[in-house]
Amino acid sequence: MSRVIDRTSSVYTAEPAIFTVVEDLTASLRLAGIADPRRVANDIIAALLDVPRSWPVTNRDSSIEFAVAAAAQSAARRLAKGAPFAYAVGTAQFRHLTLQVDERVLIPRPETEVLVSEVLTEMSSRYGTDSWGTAIDIGTGSGAIALSLAAEGRFDRVIATDASVDALAVARANSKKGKPARTRTEFRLGSLMSPVRGERASVVVSNPPYIAFGEMDALPSSVRDWEPPLALFSGHDGMTATAAIVRDAAAILQGGGLLALEVDERRASLVA
């Protein structure tokens, strides 16, 4: 295959084979000091195509579109500048979802998948196949929790709130991707519990900001310099948002309702 390569932009004269793009990405990532550059190169292709991580290796001779090759080069350049992988490729995996993510929202993490799993397990044990009522997700960000509950639970509705207009735009976009969930998700703008005053819910769930301002310097640069401060920091002790949710949830939850929070393990006993 004939091709002309500029290592900064990788302009191809024909749709390149995956192995060609991987080689070019590997070279760029190695120059940038990225660890295990070939694995990262394959991961970039897999993320952009939304396929398993092994797919670029087993399909190395397949061609990919110019747009994908260009997006891969752009992702490599962002990684070289220190961007987290999810921001570089523009997506993150969360349970059964592929979510659009960028600097407007927190990158969803495995710990939050556990939070969702705990909620689903508890609600299933309580209600079985009957209706689970209303779920409220406070500080939805990318929509990871709310959309997972809507897709996997048996709720009548899911309400997702966020204080950031930009975050809600990302969450709404994610709600329109893939097949429709069995439960409709509503998105509301506002801080913490304020958008759901007057509602009654069987469960309130949240991954609130829980890092103290004084802990900023201890964070990895990929978090501190890239992820939205509104989703990370919560007062001098990291407890401002959590305390407000605990305080106000009682007015929202129906009798015997469930409050499920992701918390900093250093403050778990204090939250309890």
Side-chain angles (χ1 to χ4, degrees):
M1 179 185 303
S2 63
R3 59 194 175 98
V4 177
I5 300 176
D6 174 344
R7 289 295 179 185
T8 63
S9 60
S10 283
V11 177
Y12 300 93
T13 60
E15 289 191 343
I18 288 174
F19 76 84
T20 299
V21 179
V22 167
E23 288 298 320
D24 295 341
L25 293 176
T26 299
S28 297
L29 293 167
R30 183 176 290 115
L31 285 173
I34 303 296
D36 202 352
R38 188 173 302 279
R39 176 189 60 79
V40 175
N42 280 293
D43 286 350
I44 289 173
I45 299 297
L48 292 174
L49 295 176
D50 196 13
V51 295
R53 294 177 66 183
S54 61
W55 192 93
V57 176
T58 57
N59 294 271
R60 64 191 305 272
D61 294 322
S62 299
S63 297
I64 56 175
E65 297 177 356
F66 290 116
V68 177
Q73 290 291 338
S74 176
R77 289 193 292 273
R78 298 203 75 202
L79 285 174
K81 293 178 180 178
F85 184 85
Y87 289 161
V89 298
T91 60
Q93 300 297 316
F94 187 85
R95 295 181 66 84
H96 306 296
L97 304 173
T98 299
L99 299 170
Q100 170 190 333
V101 295
D102 55 35
E103 289 89 335
R104 294 174 291 177
V105 297
L106 197 71
I107 297 170
R109 286 159 166 87
E111 295 85 352
T112 311
E113 294 186 274
V114 175
L115 176 65
V116 171
S117 180
E118 291 293 324
V119 170
L120 293 171
T121 299
E122 178 64 21
M123 298 303 286
S124 180
S125 69
R126 292 187 182 191
Y127 297 99
T129 58
D130 294 336
S131 166
W132 294 1
T134 296
I136 295 175
D137 173 25
I138 302 298
T140 195
S142 65
I145 293 174
L147 297 177
S148 292
L149 293 179
E152 300 180 58
R154 302 185 65 85
F155 295 99
D156 295 327
R157 61 178 180 153
V158 175
I159 303 172
T161 77
D162 207 287
S164 166
V165 174
D166 289 338
L168 282 181
V170 175
R172 285 193 178 98
N174 282 323
S175 72
K176 298 174 182 177
K177 295 176 59 179
K179 63 180 181 181
R182 69 180 68 180
T183 303
R184 184 170 64 89
T185 305
E186 303 173 25
F187 298 95
R188 299 184 185 180
L189 177 66
S191 178
L192 299 177
M193 308 293 287
S194 60
V196 291
R197 289 192 179 122
E199 294 286 351
R200 298 292 282 172
S202 56
V203 58
V204 171
V205 59
S206 181
N207 175 20
Y210 52 71
I211 299 172
F213 289 128
E215 297 166 343
M216 181 184 305
D217 291 342
L219 293 174
S221 60
S222 61
V223 175
R224 182 182 62 246
D225 298 340
W226 290 86
E227 301 201 57
L230 185 64
L232 293 172
F233 301 107
S234 188
H236 71 280
D237 60 356
M239 285 288 294
T240 301
T242 299
I245 293 171
V246 171
R247 181 188 66 233
D248 296 340
I252 303 298
L253 287 168
Q254 62 193 40
L258 174 67
L259 173 61
L261 300 172
E262 182 171 329
V263 300
D264 186 327
E265 63 181 356
R266 296 168 297 182
R267 303 180 180 104
S269 60
L270 180 59
V271 174

